[in-house]
Amino acid sequence: MATQQVFTMPDFYLPYPARINPHLERARAHSMAWARQMGMLDAPKPGGGVVWTEAALARMDYALLCAYTHPDCDGPMLDLITDWYVWVFFFDDHFLEHFKYSRDIPGATAYLARLELFMAADGQEPPEATNPGEVGLLDLWRRTAPDRSPHWRRRFALSTHNLMIESMWELTNIERGRVANPIEYVQMRRRVGGAPWSANLVEHAVAAEVPDQLAAVRPMRVLVDTFADAVHLRNDLFSYQREVQEEGENSNAVLVVERFLDCSTQESADVVGELLTSRMHQFEDTALGEVPALLAEHGIAPDEQLGIGAYVKGLQDWQSGGHEWHARSSRYMNEGMAAGVSVPQPGTLLAGPTGLGTSGLRFRSSGLKRRAQQHAFAPFRPVGHLPVPELYMPFAHRVSPHLGAAREYAPGWARAVGMFDPLPGRPDVGALWDERRFRGFDFPYCAAMIHADADPEQLFLTSDWLSWGTYADDFYPRVFGMSHDLAGAKLLTERLSAFMPLDLGATPEPVNAVERGLADLWPRTAESMAVPARRKFRADVERMTASWVWELQNRAVNRVPDPVDYVEMRRDTFGSDLTSSLRRLAGGGAVASEVHQHRVMHELDTAAQDYAVFLNDLFSYQKEIEYEGEMHNMVQVVETFLGVDRNRAAAVVAELMKARMEEFELLVEHDLPAMFDELALDAGTRAVLVDHVAGLKDWLSGILEWHRRCARYTEAELQRSRVPTTPSGLPLAPVGLGTSAVRVFAGSGR
């Protein structure tokens, strides 16, 4: 008797109808023969029986998955793509049987390390294959790699590495009986899940690679991330019953949300469905808005533009086709979803007003509702003071003995670079800051805690960077935001890079306080740095300033950001990489990039950053929503997404902070020492990383203490610094795009 479904599937937003490849039957026959040839139908389970039988493989029907997700490729390409998916699902099931059920972590580690050798780089020979996973990967790599460029092979090998190696994260959580927090889950699921890997295969299937210079740029990265998140969230909805109830897995978004929000399984599934819709909208906004602008900005040749168009279309086809397959495959919970609808015959397309191919049309109203909510933000509405919930902070703050000297020094530097001068061309607004406000902000106090061991000059420099970053963060929305002057904001952002030459050479003449401040800070900071460190620090500053333009773009269309995009961009808008590294400006040993890119270091840094930016959002809620008309605040994002009031949203944000901090502590106690051994790091490198963790602890505790003590977020200060408004209550703003740039850059020669 079939097990009853544990929840009703949410409405799926899927605006692109699915189509099916005419070579389906050929791929079915080929993939079955290939799996048999690779030994996948004879692979034994540890307790008896085999991982797959021919009947089980036929029921799962990966050829149907690939025919839906790659409807336009020819027969031989569909055969190859199908073989890749047969291999990846076999790997997943084989790994489950041999290592997840038994919790054999040492055996899993050795198995995965050897498997990776079968994606050999040019000039390298793989070892002899000894099991079906190795035999299959060796065959597939030899059939695929010669047709692709070196940069595609590197990206695909990394995607394959991630979905194999990061399976250890899932296994470790099962061993610990631990369910991930929502933010950790989404970003780790991209590594563990196969969707980035699938996106690489889309490039291969459409014979159009993403140009190497664009692959890491935000719009292309967001395309892959939103595609991946949507694929994984959909898979988690369909596979919850099999994974969680039957296999004992705990890496599933429905379970993650259920545990975090302490809600029913049905409520959790509905939230996951809403997040899936939101990520689909983010994909559309990026594909239709940001990608064309990116291609024009980089002068991409017409043939490459056509290739990127084919790639984007391929990702759309995958979403629609993947949904169709999930609704039919015996692998998933899909009772009733395919009732009365037969699988199309080879050579036909799904069409007409009925059937699963029109699911996006049937549920379009759900997607429209979500989009309407996202654009319904009411700026400058009175919200009053937001009580900050109790916050979990396990680390005590320390204070530099040179705080008094830094407090006396800091106003003089701010005055010298022009932070107390009237804004260019804005007599109605006057100065952005004055000395009284600046002293109330007390950046030296924050610097004295995040860099408690600094000598006086180092502390002055840290304080100046905090002053400059906050002033520039206030400058962008005040000067460019009210007039929606994106051109002026982009021009300033472009000019700022010119004030950070890697060779410490000549810079333009600064024309405003933002430029004058950076012109002073860069040589004081970079002179003692090696060129690689300079390059990274400059990139940290550039990501921060570019993210402020992203905020202005959202304000221009009154769009509350997608929750996942907000979390990831908020790290940049806060200047997390910049401010958390100020303690290390005095020097420190270099660490190889592959160490910093390791899962443990990435999770350590992002967990700390999320705690810091969320606490800022709690303290700055009234300032941003009521006094600045700003929607970039985690409390507001949660309000919009979950449809709750501000107090419930604030409680959710505080719980997220606690979850990220507890993850940080777990990583420091257990995962960091394990990474030291895994990578066989020497004593010097270990000491640098231990010091990095100590710096993050000081940064976190210091930022919290500063927010509690400084005047920046008090209602009295907000009243004194209120933006001038018109009689209707709206802020005064100049008229016309580009007018801000004319004033700000007057006399700059640009």
Side-chain angles (χ1 to χ4, degrees):
M1 183 175 178
T3 304
Q4 184 177 4
Q5 289 194 178
V6 293
F7 59 81
T8 301
M9 284 291 183
D11 291 351
F12 288 96
Y13 173 72
L14 200 64
Y16 313 108
R19 299 176 299 122
I20 196 162
N21 194 297
H23 304 292
L24 167 61
E25 288 303 328
R26 167 188 167 131
R28 277 176 170 152
H30 170 87
S31 62
M32 184 66 72
W34 183 81
R36 186 180 300 107
Q37 181 185 359
M38 298 298 108
M40 294 176 182
L41 303 183
D42 301 315
K45 292 181 181 180
V50 294
V51 176
W52 278 359
T53 64
E54 183 172 326
L57 179 57
R59 285 195 304 270
M60 291 183 284
D61 206 352
Y62 299 119
L64 182 63
L65 166 67
C66 296
Y68 275 137
T69 55
H70 298 83
D72 296 322
C73 63
D74 62 19
M77 180 60 73
L78 185 62
D79 291 346
L80 175 60
I81 296 296
T82 303
D83 291 347
W84 270 112
Y85 280 88
V86 169
W87 174 82
V88 80
F89 279 100
F90 174 83
F91 161 77
D92 191 49
D93 288 352
H94 183 263
F95 191 80
L96 174 74
E97 294 289 347
H98 283 263
F99 304 108
K100 284 188 177 180
Y101 283 148
S102 63
R103 313 292 194 259
D104 181 6
I105 293 179
T109 302
Y111 171 77
L112 294 172
R114 176 176 163 83
L115 192 58
E116 193 172 352
L117 300 176
F118 292 89
M119 296 180 293
D122 291 343
Q124 296 181 345
E125 282 296 321
E128 182 180 353
T130 59
N131 62 63
E134 294 176 353
V135 173
L137 184 56
L138 177 62
D139 176 77
L140 290 166
W141 189 248
R142 287 175 173 171
R143 292 162 58 196
T144 306
D147 294 328
R148 298 269 65 89
S149 68
H151 82 260
W152 183 91
R153 294 200 296 268
R154 286 192 298 271
R155 287 192 286 115
F156 186 69
L158 178 61
S159 297
T160 311
H161 163 90
N162 285 340
L163 70 87
M164 293 191 302
I165 298 300
E166 301 303 353
S167 297
M168 293 301 299
W169 171 77
E170 293 182 316
L171 186 55
T172 301
N173 278 341
I174 293 172
E175 179 71 16
R176 293 171 176 168
R178 174 180 179 268
V179 176
N181 63 71
I183 299 173
E184 172 195 8
Y185 178 76
V186 169
Q187 62 188 27
M188 281 304 301
R189 186 73 162 93
R190 292 179 192 161
R191 289 180 176 240
V192 177
W197 177 87
S198 294
N200 292 149
L201 278 179
V202 168
E203 292 178 75
H204 184 59
V206 302
E209 296 182 17
V210 175
D212 196 25
Q213 72 269 29
L214 298 184
V217 179
R218 171 184 152 81
M220 302 308 298
R221 192 178 70 248
V222 170
L223 273 185
V224 175
D225 288 347
T226 51
F227 168 79
D229 294 345
V231 168
H232 295 149
L233 293 170
R234 180 181 294 106
N235 177 266
D236 285 353
L237 286 163
F238 279 95
S239 64
Y240 174 88
Q241 195 158 334
R242 176 178 61 84
E243 291 182 342
V244 176
Q245 295 193 328
E246 298 173 14
E247 297 177 355
E249 296 257 11
N250 57 15
S251 183
N252 184 287
V254 179
L255 178 64
V256 167
V257 173
E258 185 180 353
R259 294 286 182 88
F260 178 75
L261 292 180
D262 190 22
C263 62
S264 70
T265 306
Q266 183 65 61
E267 291 169 325
S268 176
D270 291 339
V271 170
V272 172
E274 290 288 343
L275 185 58
L276 168 56
T277 297
S278 183
R279 296 310 277 157
M280 293 286 288
H281 286 163
Q282 179 76 34
F283 178 91
E284 292 171 341
D285 292 344
T286 304
L288 299 177
E290 294 187 53
V291 170
L294 176 73
L295 301 181
E297 177 186 343
H298 285 260
I300 301 301
D303 60 328
E304 290 185 316
Q305 291 191 34
L306 289 173
I308 290 175
Y311 169 64
V312 172
K313 178 179 174 295
L315 297 178
Q316 293 173 341
D317 287 335
W318 211 111
Q319 292 282 4
S320 301
H323 180 87
E324 294 288 341
W325 178 73
H326 276 82
R328 300 177 185 279
S329 175
S330 66
R331 191 177 177 89
Y332 301 109
M333 184 182 81
N334 49 24
E335 182 181 343
M337 295 198 70
V341 181
S342 61
V343 177
Q345 294 301 310
T348 65
L349 303 179
L350 289 177
T354 61
L356 286 172
T358 57
S359 56
L361 300 178
R362 295 201 307 275
F363 298 134
R364 194 174 182 83
S365 60
S366 172
L368 292 175
K369 179 182 177 182
R370 167 56 59 189
R371 190 174 287 280
Q373 291 170 335
Q374 196 175 17
H375 289 268
F377 174 72
F380 298 100
R381 71 183 189 275
V383 295
H385 172 69
L386 176 69
V388 175
E390 182 178 350
L391 301 178
Y392 175 62
M393 170 50 70
F395 314 125
H397 67 274
R398 303 182 300 134
V399 182
S400 166
H402 307 299
L403 171 59
R407 280 174 167 159
E408 288 306 308
Y409 157 84
W413 182 82
R415 185 184 305 106
V417 299
M419 290 183 180
F420 307 150
D421 296 342
L423 291 175
R426 291 300 302 272
D428 55 316
V429 175
L432 194 60
W433 291 353
D434 57 28
E435 184 169 339
R436 181 201 56 77
R437 291 192 72 200
F438 181 84
R439 288 185 179 274
F441 294 165
D442 206 359
F443 298 116
Y445 185 43
C446 189
M449 290 182 285
I450 68 176
H451 201 172
D453 299 320
D455 64 32
E457 288 301 318
Q458 292 167 352
L459 187 61
F460 295 168
L461 180 60
T462 299
S463 176
D464 291 346
W465 271 112
L466 294 176
S467 301
W468 178 84
T470 308
Y471 181 87
D473 190 29
D474 285 355
F475 185 95
Y476 268 71
R478 183 68 66 88
V479 173
F480 304 118
M482 296 178 186
S483 59
H484 304 317
D485 185 8
L486 298 178
K490 290 178 180 179
L491 178 57
L492 175 58
T493 303
E494 178 186 336
R495 279 178 56 87
L496 290 178
S497 294
F499 289 93
M500 297 181 287
L502 291 177
D503 62 358
L504 301 179
T507 61
E509 184 68 25
V511 297
N512 56 55
V514 178
E515 293 182 352
R516 280 191 294 273
L518 188 57
D520 176 79
L521 286 168
W522 179 250
R524 291 166 56 195
T525 304
E527 186 175 17
S528 62
M529 289 180 167
V531 171
R534 288 180 194 171
R535 183 175 291 107
K536 181 188 182 303
F537 192 79
R538 183 173 74 171
D540 292 343
V541 177
E542 289 174 334
R543 278 198 312 278
M544 179 175 68
T545 57
S547 71
W548 296 337
V549 177
W550 170 82
E551 289 183 319
L552 295 177
Q553 291 169 332
N554 285 328
R555 290 186 65 165
V557 296
N558 198 45
R559 176 179 59 210
V560 177
D562 163 83
V564 177
D565 198 38
Y566 177 78
V567 169
E568 295 174 340
M569 288 300 293
R570 186 68 176 98
R571 298 165 187 163
D572 291 339
T573 63
F574 188 69
S576 300
D577 284 328
L578 169 65
T579 58
S580 64
S581 68
L582 292 174
R583 179 178 178 271
R584 302 193 298 276
L585 293 181
V591 175
S593 60
E594 56 266 25
V595 175
H596 278 299
Q597 293 165 6
H598 192 278
R599 172 189 69 84
V600 172
M601 297 308 300
H602 181 260
E603 282 298 315
L604 269 175
D605 288 343
T606 57
Q609 290 170 6
D610 292 342
Y611 185 97
V613 301
F614 295 164
L615 83 83
N616 177 263
D617 285 354
L618 286 169
F619 280 90
S620 65
Y621 178 80
Q622 183 182 16
K623 167 182 172 289
E624 293 178 338
I625 306 302
E626 180 174 341
Y627 288 86
E628 297 175 354
E630 182 64 73
M631 74 276 289
H632 293 93
N633 183 287
M634 189 62 181
V635 179
Q636 179 62 56
V637 170
V638 173
E639 281 184 76
T640 301
F641 180 71
L642 291 182
V644 297
D645 64 32
R646 64 179 193 141
N647 292 319
R648 173 57 180 152
V652 170
V653 172
E655 283 299 313
L656 275 172
M657 291 171 62
K658 183 174 186 289
R660 292 298 265 165
M661 180 62 80
E662 289 174 339
E663 181 192 354
F664 179 90
E665 293 179 286
L666 181 69
L667 288 164
V668 171
E669 182 178 358
H670 296 288
D671 296 54
L672 191 65
M675 186 195 79
F676 289 167
D677 294 338
E678 173 194 338
L679 301 180
L681 300 180
D682 59 50
T685 301
R686 296 183 185 212
V688 171
L689 295 178
V690 168
D691 184 67
H692 174 70
V693 170
L696 289 176
K697 293 178 180 179
D698 285 343
W699 183 67
L700 290 166
S701 59
I703 287 175
L704 177 57
E705 173 66 11
W706 177 76
H707 276 82
R708 286 171 169 166
R709 303 300 178 193
C710 80
R712 181 171 170 84
Y713 308 106
T714 63
E715 193 152 15
E717 176 60 33
L718 296 176
Q719 288 283 359
R720 281 193 293 267
S721 59
R722 182 184 289 274
V723 176
T725 60
T726 66
S728 64
L730 295 176
L732 290 170
V735 178
L737 287 176
T739 55
S740 303
V742 172
R743 293 190 305 277
V744 172
F745 303 113
S748 68
R750 299 205 52 169

